[in-house]
Every structure is written in structure tokens, then in C-alpha cells.
Amino acid sequence: MKVKILRLFSNITRVDEETRTVEGYAFVNPDCGGGMILPRATMERMTADYLKWANVREMHGAKAVGTCSVDWDDTGAFMRAEIVDDDAWEKVKKGVYKAFSVGVKPTKVKRLSVNRAEITDGTWFETSLVDRPKDPDSAFSIARADDAVADEAVEVEVDEEANELPAETGTRGIMRGYLM
């Protein structure tokens, strides 16, 4: 089964001009929308691998603009990012970039019902500074960017021992909005 890469957005809560850092929660809500669940435990497992690189990008592009640290607390994954790129830092200071967006490539999905699925494994591969989440009224939501990287499909393994889908539904029903 192929699914699109997930993009999760969370607002920046603090900008420190002296240290060129921005802070905010990178992951809070496990309900990604469209019937997809990304449990906190799955994100926590992916954190150590992500922090080997700790990359921060602009708008899900190829350009690295900084690095970060992640600390899990009762609310979620709190991110502190140091922005070394002058152009990106100027956009942060001017309020152009308002949120973090986490990029996750699912590799294993568990069927919960016809309309629900849970990501049980994957890779947190990047975090970006972004100007606007797809849903500007939401502090945390899921969206797909329009560029080629965001539309990249990734192969996922479906846990067939979970609740089976009716034969006439097929696998497309559980991932509505995410399949190629």
C-alpha cells in the first residue's frame, strides 16, 4: 500500500533574538485527521533517529536552515530550534514563519476500522519552519504540501491481523486522503 508523507503543524510559541532560537511544540495531537492516528508512543520511538540529524528546513524544501533539540513532556514534543540561515531567521523575526511542520514517512499501518488506521512505525525525517498551516485556525493539523517532495509516496506494511476491512471496501477506504 502507498500513502503520502504526513505533514503535522504546530505554532511557534517563542522567538529569542539573542540566541536565534524558536520554540514550540512539534507534536501534540495524535489524531492527524482523515481517519489517520499517529500515536505519541510511535513519535517518541522515532525521536532518537530524527535527532541523529536534528535538521530544520524551510517550507519542506531541501535547504537546511538550522538544527534543533526535542524534549518530551506532558503536553508533547517540545522543540527548540537554532536558526543559522540569515534569510530564514529574518522571516522568523518578521513573523513570516509562524509554525513548525513535522514530516513523517509511515512504514507500518494498523487497520482499526473501515475509516480508521494507526501508524505503528515510520520515520520522522525532517521538521520545517512554515508560513501557514493548511488549516490556519488550528494549532495542530495535518496537511499535504503541493511540492513534489510532499507528494512522494511511501510504501507501508498493513497489519493484516487488525480489524479486517469488508472485501468490497478494499484498502483505499482506511487511508482516505492519503493514498496516491
mmCIF file of all heavy atoms in Angstrom, residues 1-3 105-111 117-122 154-162 171 174-175:
data_model
loop_
_atom_site.group_PDB
_atom_site.id
_atom_site.type_symbol
_atom_site.label_atom_id
_atom_site.label_comp_id
_atom_site.label_asym_id
_atom_site.label_seq_id
_atom_site.Cartn_x
_atom_site.Cartn_y
_atom_site.Cartn_z
ATOM 1 N N MET A 1 0.841 -1.163 0.000
ATOM 2 C CA MET A 1 0.000 0.000 0.000
ATOM 3 C C MET A 1 0.895 1.238 0.000
ATOM 4 O O MET A 1 1.920 1.266 0.649
ATOM 5 C CB MET A 1 -0.877 -0.006 1.253
ATOM 6 C CG MET A 1 -1.671 1.256 1.438
ATOM 7 S SD MET A 1 -2.569 1.326 2.987
ATOM 8 C CE MET A 1 -3.642 -0.054 2.764
ATOM 9 N N LYS A 2 0.508 2.253 -0.735
ATOM 10 C CA LYS A 2 1.262 3.503 -0.752
ATOM 11 C C LYS A 2 0.443 4.587 -0.071
ATOM 12 O O LYS A 2 -0.753 4.692 -0.280
ATOM 13 C CB LYS A 2 1.588 3.915 -2.175
ATOM 14 C CG LYS A 2 2.629 3.034 -2.810
ATOM 15 C CD LYS A 2 3.101 3.620 -4.095
ATOM 16 C CE LYS A 2 4.175 2.710 -4.655
ATOM 17 N NZ LYS A 2 5.195 3.420 -5.345
ATOM 18 N N VAL A 3 1.126 5.397 0.745
ATOM 19 C CA VAL A 3 0.486 6.544 1.386
ATOM 20 C C VAL A 3 1.356 7.767 1.174
ATOM 21 O O VAL A 3 2.553 7.660 0.924
ATOM 22 C CB VAL A 3 0.257 6.332 2.904
ATOM 23 C CG1 VAL A 3 -0.667 5.170 3.148
ATOM 24 C CG2 VAL A 3 1.560 6.145 3.637
ATOM 25 N N LYS A 105 7.314 9.801 7.480
ATOM 26 C CA LYS A 105 7.082 8.776 6.456
ATOM 27 C C LYS A 105 6.587 7.515 7.168
ATOM 28 O O LYS A 105 7.371 6.825 7.825
ATOM 29 C CB LYS A 105 8.370 8.450 5.708
ATOM 30 C CG LYS A 105 8.866 9.539 4.818
ATOM 31 C CD LYS A 105 10.138 9.113 4.097
ATOM 32 C CE LYS A 105 10.669 10.237 3.242
ATOM 33 N NZ LYS A 105 11.915 9.873 2.556
ATOM 34 N N PRO A 106 5.306 7.178 7.039
ATOM 35 C CA PRO A 106 4.806 5.945 7.655
ATOM 36 C C PRO A 106 5.392 4.716 6.957
ATOM 37 O O PRO A 106 5.547 4.705 5.739
ATOM 38 C CB PRO A 106 3.294 6.003 7.425
ATOM 39 C CG PRO A 106 3.000 7.387 6.964
ATOM 40 C CD PRO A 106 4.260 7.935 6.377
ATOM 41 N N THR A 107 5.727 3.684 7.728
ATOM 42 C CA THR A 107 6.187 2.424 7.141
ATOM 43 C C THR A 107 5.306 1.246 7.537
ATOM 44 O O THR A 107 5.338 0.217 6.870
ATOM 45 C CB THR A 107 7.639 2.112 7.552
ATOM 46 O OG1 THR A 107 7.721 2.070 8.972
ATOM 47 C CG2 THR A 107 8.605 3.141 6.980
ATOM 48 N N LYS A 108 4.551 1.371 8.608
ATOM 49 C CA LYS A 108 3.649 0.309 9.028
ATOM 50 C C LYS A 108 2.368 0.930 9.563
ATOM 51 O O LYS A 108 2.403 1.850 10.366
ATOM 52 C CB LYS A 108 4.293 -0.570 10.099
ATOM 53 C CG LYS A 108 3.498 -1.821 10.400
ATOM 54 C CD LYS A 108 4.266 -2.776 11.290
ATOM 55 C CE LYS A 108 3.456 -4.033 11.512
ATOM 56 N NZ LYS A 108 4.137 -4.957 12.408
ATOM 57 N N VAL A 109 1.227 0.406 9.085
ATOM 58 C CA VAL A 109 -0.079 0.922 9.449
ATOM 59 C C VAL A 109 -0.944 -0.220 9.947
ATOM 60 O O VAL A 109 -0.962 -1.299 9.354
ATOM 61 C CB VAL A 109 -0.749 1.600 8.225
ATOM 62 C CG1 VAL A 109 -2.170 2.015 8.537
ATOM 63 C CG2 VAL A 109 0.073 2.789 7.767
ATOM 64 N N LYS A 110 -1.660 0.009 11.039
ATOM 65 C CA LYS A 110 -2.580 -0.982 11.610
ATOM 66 C C LYS A 110 -4.012 -0.536 11.331
ATOM 67 O O LYS A 110 -4.392 0.584 11.652
ATOM 68 C CB LYS A 110 -2.350 -1.082 13.116
ATOM 69 C CG LYS A 110 -3.264 -2.036 13.820
ATOM 70 C CD LYS A 110 -2.934 -2.042 15.308
ATOM 71 C CE LYS A 110 -3.844 -2.959 16.074
ATOM 72 N NZ LYS A 110 -3.512 -2.929 17.518
ATOM 73 N N ARG A 111 -4.801 -1.416 10.751
ATOM 74 C CA ARG A 111 -6.203 -1.103 10.486
ATOM 75 C C ARG A 111 -6.964 -1.130 11.800
ATOM 76 O O ARG A 111 -6.905 -2.108 12.538
ATOM 77 C CB ARG A 111 -6.812 -2.126 9.548
ATOM 78 C CG ARG A 111 -6.185 -2.156 8.202
ATOM 79 C CD ARG A 111 -6.792 -3.252 7.390
ATOM 80 N NE ARG A 111 -6.050 -3.377 6.150
ATOM 81 C CZ ARG A 111 -6.390 -4.193 5.188
ATOM 82 N NH1 ARG A 111 -7.434 -4.972 5.314
ATOM 83 N NH2 ARG A 111 -5.676 -4.245 4.093
ATOM 84 N N ALA A 117 -7.148 4.192 10.783
ATOM 85 C CA ALA A 117 -5.894 3.455 10.732
ATOM 86 C C ALA A 117 -4.904 4.140 11.663
ATOM 87 O O ALA A 117 -4.989 5.343 11.910
ATOM 88 C CB ALA A 117 -5.344 3.417 9.307
ATOM 89 N N GLU A 118 -3.977 3.360 12.170
ATOM 90 C CA GLU A 118 -2.974 3.863 13.110
ATOM 91 C C GLU A 118 -1.584 3.592 12.561
ATOM 92 O O GLU A 118 -1.279 2.470 12.155
ATOM 93 C CB GLU A 118 -3.150 3.158 14.447
ATOM 94 C CG GLU A 118 -2.156 3.544 15.498
ATOM 95 C CD GLU A 118 -2.419 2.782 16.787
ATOM 96 O OE1 GLU A 118 -3.446 3.033 17.434
ATOM 97 O OE2 GLU A 118 -1.571 1.923 17.123
ATOM 98 N N ILE A 119 -0.750 4.610 12.557
ATOM 99 C CA ILE A 119 0.641 4.434 12.154
ATOM 100 C C ILE A 119 1.368 3.794 13.328
ATOM 101 O O ILE A 119 1.386 4.349 14.422
ATOM 102 C CB ILE A 119 1.285 5.779 11.783
ATOM 103 C CG1 ILE A 119 0.568 6.381 10.581
ATOM 104 C CG2 ILE A 119 2.777 5.604 11.500
ATOM 105 C CD1 ILE A 119 0.922 7.826 10.314
ATOM 106 N N THR A 120 1.956 2.625 13.109
ATOM 107 C CA THR A 120 2.663 1.936 14.188
ATOM 108 C C THR A 120 4.178 2.002 14.031
ATOM 109 O O THR A 120 4.908 1.676 14.959
ATOM 110 C CB THR A 120 2.217 0.461 14.286
ATOM 111 O OG1 THR A 120 2.432 -0.175 13.026
ATOM 112 C CG2 THR A 120 0.738 0.373 14.662
ATOM 113 N N ASP A 121 4.645 2.445 12.855
ATOM 114 C CA ASP A 121 6.082 2.627 12.659
ATOM 115 C C ASP A 121 6.302 3.577 11.491
ATOM 116 O O ASP A 121 5.444 3.727 10.627
ATOM 117 C CB ASP A 121 6.776 1.291 12.385
ATOM 118 C CG ASP A 121 8.266 1.335 12.710
ATOM 119 O OD1 ASP A 121 8.735 2.364 13.240
ATOM 120 O OD2 ASP A 121 8.955 0.351 12.429
ATOM 121 N N GLY A 122 7.459 4.198 11.494
ATOM 122 C CA GLY A 122 7.784 5.136 10.430
ATOM 123 C C GLY A 122 9.060 5.888 10.741
ATOM 124 O O GLY A 122 9.813 5.505 11.641
ATOM 125 N N VAL A 154 5.109 6.684 -0.142
ATOM 126 C CA VAL A 154 5.968 5.759 0.567
ATOM 127 C C VAL A 154 5.231 4.443 0.732
ATOM 128 O O VAL A 154 4.024 4.408 0.875
ATOM 129 C CB VAL A 154 6.415 6.314 1.948
ATOM 130 C CG1 VAL A 154 7.323 7.515 1.768
ATOM 131 C CG2 VAL A 154 5.230 6.676 2.810
ATOM 132 N N GLU A 155 5.957 3.360 0.677
ATOM 133 C CA GLU A 155 5.399 2.028 0.831
ATOM 134 C C GLU A 155 5.162 1.777 2.319
ATOM 135 O O GLU A 155 6.012 2.079 3.147
ATOM 136 C CB GLU A 155 6.438 1.046 0.321
ATOM 137 C CG GLU A 155 6.065 -0.161 -0.483
ATOM 138 C CD GLU A 155 4.863 -0.166 -1.353
ATOM 139 O OE1 GLU A 155 4.852 0.508 -2.389
ATOM 140 O OE2 GLU A 155 3.937 -0.901 -1.019
ATOM 141 N N VAL A 156 3.996 1.257 2.679
ATOM 142 C CA VAL A 156 3.721 0.903 4.067
ATOM 143 C C VAL A 156 3.256 -0.534 4.147
ATOM 144 O O VAL A 156 2.671 -1.073 3.213
ATOM 145 C CB VAL A 156 2.662 1.814 4.734
ATOM 146 C CG1 VAL A 156 3.127 3.245 4.795
ATOM 147 C CG2 VAL A 156 1.321 1.698 4.059
ATOM 148 N N GLU A 157 3.539 -1.158 5.276
ATOM 149 C CA GLU A 157 3.081 -2.508 5.547
ATOM 150 C C GLU A 157 1.781 -2.407 6.336
ATOM 151 O O GLU A 157 1.687 -1.664 7.307
ATOM 152 C CB GLU A 157 4.140 -3.230 6.387
ATOM 153 C CG GLU A 157 3.749 -4.610 6.825
ATOM 154 C CD GLU A 157 4.814 -5.211 7.728
ATOM 155 O OE1 GLU A 157 5.988 -4.819 7.632
ATOM 156 O OE2 GLU A 157 4.444 -6.068 8.541
ATOM 157 N N VAL A 158 0.751 -3.120 5.906
ATOM 158 C CA VAL A 158 -0.526 -3.113 6.600
ATOM 159 C C VAL A 158 -0.588 -4.321 7.514
ATOM 160 O O VAL A 158 -0.318 -5.451 7.098
ATOM 161 C CB VAL A 158 -1.711 -3.138 5.605
ATOM 162 C CG1 VAL A 158 -3.035 -3.212 6.342
ATOM 163 C CG2 VAL A 158 -1.658 -1.927 4.702
ATOM 164 N N ASP A 159 -0.938 -4.093 8.788
ATOM 165 C CA ASP A 159 -1.079 -5.156 9.773
ATOM 166 C C ASP A 159 -2.387 -5.886 9.505
ATOM 167 O O ASP A 159 -3.460 -5.400 9.835
ATOM 168 C CB ASP A 159 -1.067 -4.563 11.180
ATOM 169 C CG ASP A 159 -1.120 -5.619 12.259
ATOM 170 O OD1 ASP A 159 -1.360 -6.811 11.926
ATOM 171 O OD2 ASP A 159 -0.926 -5.265 13.428
ATOM 172 N N GLU A 160 -2.315 -7.039 8.881
ATOM 173 C CA GLU A 160 -3.500 -7.790 8.481
ATOM 174 C C GLU A 160 -4.210 -8.463 9.657
ATOM 175 O O GLU A 160 -5.315 -8.943 9.515
ATOM 176 C CB GLU A 160 -3.139 -8.841 7.423
ATOM 177 C CG GLU A 160 -2.602 -8.248 6.141
ATOM 178 C CD GLU A 160 -3.616 -7.382 5.388
ATOM 179 O OE1 GLU A 160 -4.828 -7.521 5.607
ATOM 180 O OE2 GLU A 160 -3.168 -6.548 4.589
ATOM 181 N N GLU A 161 -3.587 -8.514 10.825
ATOM 182 C CA GLU A 161 -4.229 -9.132 11.977
ATOM 183 C C GLU A 161 -5.163 -8.177 12.693
ATOM 184 O O GLU A 161 -5.900 -8.555 13.579
ATOM 185 C CB GLU A 161 -3.174 -9.678 12.935
ATOM 186 C CG GLU A 161 -2.404 -10.819 12.304
ATOM 187 C CD GLU A 161 -1.427 -11.452 13.263
ATOM 188 O OE1 GLU A 161 -1.593 -11.284 14.482
ATOM 189 O OE2 GLU A 161 -0.514 -12.124 12.776
ATOM 190 N N ALA A 162 -5.137 -6.912 12.330
ATOM 191 C CA ALA A 162 -6.060 -5.944 12.915
ATOM 192 C C ALA A 162 -7.429 -6.140 12.285
ATOM 193 O O ALA A 162 -7.608 -6.993 11.427
ATOM 194 C CB ALA A 162 -5.548 -4.542 12.656
ATOM 195 N N THR A 171 -8.510 -1.560 0.423
ATOM 196 C CA THR A 171 -7.621 -0.861 1.343
ATOM 197 C C THR A 171 -7.710 0.651 1.216
ATOM 198 O O THR A 171 -7.284 1.361 2.100
ATOM 199 C CB THR A 171 -6.163 -1.286 1.112
ATOM 200 O OG1 THR A 171 -5.841 -1.038 -0.259
ATOM 201 C CG2 THR A 171 -5.949 -2.730 1.466
ATOM 202 N N ILE A 174 -9.474 2.962 4.271
ATOM 203 C CA ILE A 174 -8.901 3.301 5.572
ATOM 204 C C ILE A 174 -7.974 4.495 5.503
ATOM 205 O O ILE A 174 -7.697 5.104 6.521
ATOM 206 C CB ILE A 174 -8.148 2.119 6.193
ATOM 207 C CG1 ILE A 174 -6.917 1.738 5.366
ATOM 208 C CG2 ILE A 174 -9.044 0.951 6.436
ATOM 209 C CD1 ILE A 174 -5.946 0.858 6.094
ATOM 210 N N MET A 175 -7.497 4.844 4.345
ATOM 211 C CA MET A 175 -6.485 5.884 4.235
ATOM 212 C C MET A 175 -7.003 7.057 3.404
ATOM 213 O O MET A 175 -6.243 7.745 2.773
ATOM 214 C CB MET A 175 -5.226 5.320 3.583
ATOM 215 C CG MET A 175 -4.679 4.088 4.257
ATOM 216 S SD MET A 175 -3.920 4.483 5.805
ATOM 217 C CE MET A 175 -2.364 5.056 5.200
#
